[in-house]
Amino acid sequence: MDGIEVSDRLWRLTLEHSPVGMTIVSPEGRFLAVNQALCRMLDRPSEVLLTLTFQEITHPDDLALDLELLATLLADKVPSYRMVKRFLRPDGEVVWGDLSVALVHDDDGSPLHLVSQVMDVTQQHDDRARLAETEARLDRQLRRAEAIFDSVDVGLVLIDADGRYESMNRHHEALMRVGYPDGHAGQAGQPGQVFGEDGRTPLTREDMPTWRAARGEEFDDLRIWIGVTAEERRALSVSARSVRDANGLFHGAALVYKDVTDYLRAMSVRDEFLSAVSHELRTPLTSVLGHLEIANELPDLPAAVAHRLAVIERNALRLDALVADLLEVARQREGRLSVTRTDVDLTDLVAQAVEAVRPAASLAGLSVVIEPQESLQAPVDPGRIRQVLDNLLSNAVKYSEPGGVVRIAVSPVDDEAILTIADEGLGIEEAELDRLFTRFFRGGEARSRQIPGTGLGLVLVRAFVEAHGGTVDLTSKAGVGTTVTVRLPL
Ligand code: ADP
């Protein structure tokens, strides 16, 4: 404190112990007195600071403004000034300080010295910079998300836990105008021009995708139709996912609506074409088979001709089976599959089916084993269940390798008949399992080994069993084997 006249001890104490940096500076800028807080902040001992001027420790970019403000102070235009500026530490580090400067005059009114206080605001400054950066990043992300939300060509909807629409993208707004020509109240479950997969049955509130999603249900590929006129009708495939917080509490749901109109129309054209073609094939094929029968009965057929006729007949029968499958699939698609039940002994049906497949099995080097079971009466359509058995046994044989065993069992469990057909064959890749019951689907192994088939067998098996009120399950492991379990209500 030497060199300055400060009489008041209290003032000295305040200066020394203040947490705020304090200094007395000559009008030219030389430090005349500094407190400990300032020394700590600038990382310089007082004896060093007292040899310096404030100009020397001010960041060059902030100096001009500081000097300009000082000039207005010295010219008595303002009583004090304040600025946030950067101070330089000896190691080159920057300290942000909130500086306020006042001018003390002597008795004649000329400038005597400057009294300055500096508060270290580096932390706040850094925090604010980080905050601004985070806000900018969030803003960028939000804009990006909004751009994606609005530009994707699927409808997107967010609903809250009470089923209120929180937001939807532009694509979905267009879909809403088709499904709700009279407007929508923004609440999940509002009935409108919205129909089930058949395109005819209006959806009730409880069937609406939004209603189900608002109840926490998650689903994929739920097919609905919207609109009434042929030009505006759209088929949509809807998926829903719940939105939950870190504690798993339900906050609402996100729904995605994908337009599958063209896909479904193409499918339906394909199915109609196949159904028409199979109908057309039926008549000439029946005629071929009829004439073959007559030809086979002709007396004195040369052996070579009889042999050729047998080949023709085998192939005509294969074609006939294929056409029959296609017609069944068409029937199933149109909901015209019927079952005529009578009481049948399932063990008899199994025995007959096994006898029918035995020639093919022994040709393939396989044995077929029936697990013993006493007679089991069931109210089923014998023709349909025979088709189920034939298809499953034929698959077990087709997709096995020589030496394998095919086991078939039927037994009553509670009020169901359980039929299992297990093979030790090629098995099915896990990735294919959920597509097996799709029309025309054929496994990779089936295609690469060129094992004949159409991809209709399992579809028909499921359709026939479900028409009986039963279920079909298939478990399989590639390279190990496949087991199909059919449950039929007794
Ligand atoms: P297809 O046998 O005419 O191809 P299916 O509908 O009966 O048609 O079967 C569909 C696909 O499922 C088959 O192509 C095959 O990949 C697979 N598959 C069915 N049964 C078996 C089985 N027992 N073992 C291995 N793969 C099977």
Side-chain angles (χ1 to χ4, degrees):
M1 293 271 167
D2 32 323
I4 314 163
E5 303 253 284
V6 182
S7 54
D8 194 343
R9 248 176 82 79
L10 246 170
W11 163 243
R12 217 183 260 254
L13 277 173
T14 312
L15 191 74
E16 266 323 298
H17 298 289
S18 167
V20 174
M22 293 174 108
T23 172
I24 293 169
V25 178
S26 76
E28 296 75 39
R30 182 159 302 284
F31 290 105
L32 302 175
V34 292
N35 72 348
Q36 281 309 305
L38 190 72
C39 292
R40 274 196 303 276
M41 185 176 150
L42 298 177
D43 196 23
R44 293 174 209 261
S46 60
E47 52 279 17
V48 173
L49 263 184
L50 290 175
T51 66
L52 297 172
T53 62
F54 79 80
Q55 291 90 329
E56 290 169 285
I57 57 155
T58 296
H59 191 283
D61 291 350
D62 295 338
L63 188 58
L65 178 62
D66 200 358
L67 291 174
E68 193 185 318
L69 290 169
L70 178 61
T72 57
L73 183 68
L74 291 173
D76 278 334
K77 287 186 187 151
V78 291
S80 64
Y81 73 87
R82 191 169 173 185
M83 74 179 285
V84 173
K85 71 171 206 179
R86 281 162 285 182
F87 292 91
L88 298 172
R89 285 182 158 189
D91 59 4
E93 282 272 310
V94 159
V95 187
W96 285 85
D98 184 345
L99 168 75
S100 30
V101 186
L103 180 61
V104 178
H105 296 92
D106 66 9
D107 291 344
D108 320 334
S110 40
L112 181 61
H113 50 247
L114 307 160
V115 180
S116 307
Q117 300 190 36
V118 193
M119 207 152 66
D120 187 342
V121 293
T122 311
Q123 186 67 42
Q124 288 97 307
H125 185 274
D126 288 354
D127 288 351
R128 215 172 300 135
R130 257 198 302 277
L131 197 68
E133 196 186 303
T134 308
E135 272 174 7
R137 203 175 46 236
L138 280 178
D139 190 58
R140 274 198 307 276
Q141 276 172 359
L142 195 69
R143 276 168 208 283
R144 220 175 287 158
E146 275 171 359
I148 294 170
F149 192 67
D150 259 341
S151 60
V152 289
D153 68 346
V154 291
L156 294 173
V157 176
L158 293 172
I159 54 172
D160 68 15
D162 298 320
R164 263 187 303 270
Y165 281 60
E166 272 182 344
S167 58
M168 70 178 79
N169 68 348
R170 246 181 264 155
H171 191 87
H172 198 73
E173 279 167 19
L175 296 176
M176 291 290 271
R177 283 192 288 277
V178 179
Y180 298 95
D182 301 327
H184 191 274
Q187 185 71 36
Q190 179 177 324
Q193 313 286 21
V194 186
F195 308 89
E197 186 169 8
D198 64 3
R200 286 184 297 271
T201 319
L203 286 194
T204 62
R205 186 181 66 163
E206 286 73 21
D207 293 332
M208 286 287 176
T210 45
W211 179 269
R212 291 171 56 178
R215 256 133 213 87
E217 223 185 291
E218 297 196 334
F219 46 82
D220 281 305
D221 198 21
L222 176 77
R223 304 257 174 96
I224 60 171
W225 281 88
I226 54 169
V228 258
T229 63
E231 315 83 71
E232 60 165 26
R233 297 206 86 186
R234 308 306 302 164
L236 303 173
S237 160
V238 194
S239 301
R241 288 289 176 278
S242 298
V243 178
R244 293 178 188 277
D245 66 14
N247 300 320
L249 214 67
F250 182 68
H251 275 267
L255 291 106
V256 182
Y257 293 75
K258 194 164 145 213
D259 192 327
V260 290
T261 318
D262 293 341
Y263 170 72
L264 287 194
R265 289 206 173 125
M267 287 293 144
S268 137
V269 167
R270 179 195 72 181
D271 290 339
E272 276 158 24
F273 171 76
L274 279 174
S275 148
V277 168
S278 350
H279 275 109
E280 290 308 314
L281 285 176
R282 234 323 141 65
T283 320
L285 209 51
T286 312
S287 160
V288 168
L289 285 167
H291 283 277
L292 269 173
E293 207 178 319
I294 298 166
N296 272 329
E297 280 162 11
L298 291 176
D300 307 325
L301 272 184
V305 175
H307 172 70
R308 292 286 147 87
L309 285 180
V311 174
I312 294 173
E313 186 172 27
R314 211 170 49 241
N315 285 291
L317 284 172
R318 254 184 78 189
L319 202 53
D320 190 51
L322 177 64
V323 169
D325 275 0
L326 283 171
L327 287 172
E328 292 285 22
V329 167
R331 248 178 241 133
Q332 179 238 349
R333 203 173 60 84
E334 291 155 16
R336 293 190 293 113
L337 261 194
S338 60
V339 288
T340 315
R341 294 169 195 263
T342 45
D343 264 335
V344 208
D345 185 349
L346 286 179
T347 56
D348 277 352
L349 278 185
V350 167
Q352 288 162 20
V354 169
E355 280 327 301
V357 84
R358 247 189 235 290
S362 47
L363 212 65
L366 298 166
S367 48
V368 185
V369 178
I370 307 180
E371 308 286 344
Q373 165 67 35
E374 284 167 24
S375 78
L376 173 57
Q377 294 292 322
V380 297
D381 184 325
R384 295 300 193 204
I385 296 304
R386 182 60 203 276
Q387 274 173 288
V388 168
L389 292 168
D390 287 347
N391 266 317
L392 294 177
L393 281 169
S394 134
N395 277 352
V397 169
K398 274 198 300 187
Y399 302 111
S400 283
E401 285 178 301
V405 180
V406 176
R407 288 172 205 284
I408 177 161
V410 57
S411 61
V413 175
D414 299 331
D415 47 1
E416 285 178 329
I418 314 258
L419 257 164
T420 55
I421 291 153
D423 65 58
E424 303 166 346
L426 309 176
I428 300 157
E429 293 294 335
E430 203 181 328
E432 295 181 341
L433 284 177
D434 57 350
R435 288 155 68 203
L436 296 180
F437 293 89
T438 319
R439 265 173 289 160
F440 304 111
F441 176 79
R442 304 213 65 220
E445 203 67 12
R447 279 178 285 128
S448 65
R449 292 183 185 229
Q450 299 186 331
I451 299 170
T454 54
L456 294 175
L458 288 179
V459 179
L460 288 175
V461 165
R462 175 170 278 176
F464 293 155
V465 172
E466 286 180 353
H468 281 83
T471 58
V472 183
D473 286 304
L474 186 149
T475 55
S476 187
K477 210 168 154 76
V480 177
T482 304
T483 301
V484 182
T485 309
V486 173
R487 292 188 163 75
L488 291 168
L490 284 174

